[in-house]
Amino acid sequence: MKKKILINIHYLEIGGAETSLIGLLYSLDPSLYEVDLLINDPRGELMQYIPKWIKLIPGPKSYNFIERSLKDTLKAGHITLAIARIWAKYKYCKYVQKKNPKTGDAIFGYIGRYVTPILPSLKYLGEYDVAISYITPHNIVAKKISAKKKIAWIHTDYSKVDVNVEIELPIWSEYDKIVSISPTVTRSFLSVFPTLEDKIIEIENFLPENLILQRTKEFVPEDMPKENGTLNILTIGRYCEAKRLDEIPVIAKILKDSKILFKWYIIGYGNQDELQKIEEAIKKNNVLDRIILLGKKENPYPYIKECDIYVQPSRYEGKSITVREAQLLGKLVVITNYPTATSQINDGVDGFIGPYETRSFAHFLKKLIKDSKISFIPTNY
């Protein structure tokens, strides 16, 4: 008998957790498992890469509106859901007034707590051998799915995010196992939830290597041309605090002032306020001629293949999928010394870890570029 598995994720837009899920799906053996995939809001560029043997489960329509705009939610007639979301935001704002958190990540716990109870049950799907919640909040699998075993995934560095432990601990506690993607992610999670130590198991992010290599050949990026004597630097990431894209113009200015010939390409999307910060920093540092914002790309792999250096200047990461993809494609990878950096790169072997502080990192990158002894890691395909 095949084991029956259900996996839940919010959507399949381009992102690290979403890419990792595609890797997981490709790693599963269809002769051993029946897999139902429940995507709350089934949209995103990665939908087309779901293996054909995976069964896509259509959830109730209200699940589509957990994160859509309130205007769209009300227009679709989901008034109770809209009220629950407004109440979650109100309770979160009260928490902010009291705790003054450094990040806004606690909002997801409030959405999970106040929105999930009004969503329809999914127990009509029957009992699964295993149900997996692939990204926070984990309330839906905990409360709405019937399964013999339940597993939740951790994708972030909990030393860098703020959560309301009182709200989130009961949900994490309902899971039989909690998957951490690296030892440093484990330590950061247990520093916040120490009572969950016996539930933790560690599994690396899944990387669909054959699919990535295949997708590098789909096109040659004309908007990232090769120019003689000019280095092409690439960074990929959402417009958000964690990725520190707003500091790239400062780094670029130091490289430019050092007479290094380069173009720095950024593939990204997300928060418009963060995008505005990046654009303003580009103008302020006079690097309009050096930084090119490419926007969102459905297939970033030809860009990784064609770049000379891949740089991830993050403030924090769980374990960056794009860094691993760049390593797979044989690129010279340079990252900042964020808390989980050493679990990502073996410094000086499969990449380089530079100082965390922005200007120090810029001078480190400058030295790497100018040091003739540094050779690019050869491609492995």
Side-chain angles (χ1 to χ4, degrees):
M1 292 287 290
K2 295 181 180 180
K3 295 288 186 182
K4 289 188 64 178
I5 300 174
L6 178 131
I7 303 174
N8 176 236
I9 196 167
H10 191 68
Y11 45 66
L12 280 181
E13 290 191 348
I14 296 169
E18 292 81 3
T19 301
S20 171
L21 174 59
I22 296 297
L24 170 60
L25 297 179
Y26 272 86
S27 73
L28 294 173
D29 186 342
S31 69
L32 299 177
Y33 306 106
E34 291 180 11
V35 179
D36 289 354
L37 179 60
L38 172 67
I39 305 174
N40 298 338
D41 191 2
R43 58 182 167 87
E45 296 80 2
L46 298 179
M47 292 286 294
Q48 62 184 306
Y49 299 107
I50 299 170
K52 297 196 182 303
W53 67 275
I54 302 292
K55 185 178 179 182
L56 195 58
I57 298 294
K61 284 293 183 184
S62 56
Y63 279 61
N64 298 171
F65 293 89
I66 296 171
E67 286 191 21
R68 290 196 196 180
S69 71
L70 283 173
K71 180 181 177 181
D72 288 346
T73 305
L74 289 168
K75 189 176 179 180
H78 299 290
I79 297 171
T80 306
L81 177 60
I83 293 171
R85 287 178 53 189
I86 292 168
W87 183 248
K89 184 65 179 289
Y90 168 76
K91 296 294 284 186
Y92 169 70
C93 289
K94 297 292 284 184
Y95 166 79
V96 169
Q97 290 174 2
K98 184 178 179 181
K99 297 290 187 179
N100 190 29
K102 59 188 176 184
T103 70
D105 298 273
I107 184 64
F108 298 111
Y110 285 88
I111 291 171
R113 167 173 274 200
Y114 294 107
V115 171
T116 304
I118 60 95
L119 295 172
S121 171
L122 297 168
K123 294 185 179 178
Y124 64 84
L125 295 171
E127 185 180 55
Y128 290 89
D129 292 294
V130 178
I132 297 170
S133 180
Y134 210 70
I135 199 165
T136 190
H138 296 298
N139 302 61
I140 288 175
V141 168
K143 299 295 186 182
K144 300 296 182 179
I145 297 291
S146 178
K148 296 173 184 174
K149 298 287 183 181
K150 295 184 178 183
I151 302 171
W153 238 264
I154 315 168
H155 291 281
T156 195
D157 176 3
Y158 272 77
S159 70
K160 293 294 182 179
V161 300
D162 282 301
V163 296
N164 186 332
V165 175
E166 183 180 343
I167 283 180
E168 295 205 12
L169 179 59
I171 296 299
W172 286 107
S173 298
E174 293 201 30
Y175 284 86
D176 298 281
K177 295 295 179 182
I178 298 170
V179 175
S180 166
I181 58 175
S182 76
T184 47
V185 166
T186 299
R187 287 192 293 272
S188 71
F189 180 79
L190 292 179
S191 70
V192 180
F193 301 104
T195 59
L196 299 176
E197 184 174 7
D198 62 339
K199 293 179 181 285
I200 293 284
I201 57 175
E202 290 179 1
I203 301 175
E204 282 266 354
N205 273 324
F206 295 89
L207 206 61
E209 295 186 6
N210 291 336
L211 177 62
I212 290 169
L213 294 172
Q214 176 186 330
R215 294 183 68 196
T216 63
K217 303 171 185 176
E218 289 182 3
F219 62 90
V220 176
E222 295 181 0
D223 47 356
M224 194 177 80
K226 289 281 191 180
E227 299 176 11
N228 287 337
T230 300
L231 283 172
N232 281 347
I233 303 173
L234 178 66
T235 297
I236 301 174
R238 284 195 173 110
Y239 304 142
C240 63
E241 177 76 8
K243 300 301 182 183
R244 194 156 53 172
L245 304 183
D246 56 303
E247 293 290 321
I248 287 177
V250 177
I251 303 168
K253 183 179 188 306
I254 290 171
L255 297 184
K256 180 180 178 179
D257 291 346
S258 302
K259 310 301 182 186
I260 293 172
L261 293 178
F262 71 96
K263 292 290 180 67
W264 196 319
Y265 295 88
I266 299 175
I267 293 176
Y269 72 101
N271 186 289
Q272 292 303 298
D273 291 338
E274 288 290 329
L275 173 58
Q276 186 176 346
K277 283 168 60 177
I278 297 165
E279 292 172 334
E280 289 173 354
I282 290 172
K283 293 176 184 176
K284 179 181 177 181
N285 289 279
N286 192 29
V287 286
L288 280 165
D289 60 331
R290 299 304 181 95
I291 295 180
I292 298 92
L293 297 174
L294 294 172
K296 191 176 188 179
K297 296 294 180 183
E298 179 181 318
N299 181 2
Y301 301 114
Y303 293 88
I304 300 176
K305 180 183 177 182
E306 293 299 317
C307 79
D308 298 304
I309 306 175
Y310 183 85
V311 176
Q312 196 73 47
S314 302
R315 291 182 171 93
Y316 59 90
E317 292 280 352
K319 193 162 188 179
S320 171
I321 285 285
T322 51
V323 167
R324 290 187 62 203
E325 290 168 339
Q327 290 173 319
L328 170 67
L329 297 179
K331 298 294 115 175
L332 177 64
V333 178
V334 188
I335 68 174
T336 46
N337 191 22
Y338 46 78
T340 59
T342 55
S343 70
Q344 182 89 70
I345 277 181
N346 186 359
D347 190 26
V349 177
D350 57 3
F352 294 91
I353 301 173
Y356 182 83
E357 193 274 325
T358 301
R359 292 182 180 278
S360 298
F361 180 79
H363 289 288
F364 176 84
L365 182 58
K366 177 182 72 175
K367 185 177 185 300
L368 278 181
I369 292 170
K370 288 193 169 185
D371 188 345
S372 61
K373 295 179 182 178
I374 298 298
S375 60
F376 293 101
I377 302 169
T379 57
N380 57 359
Y381 67 99

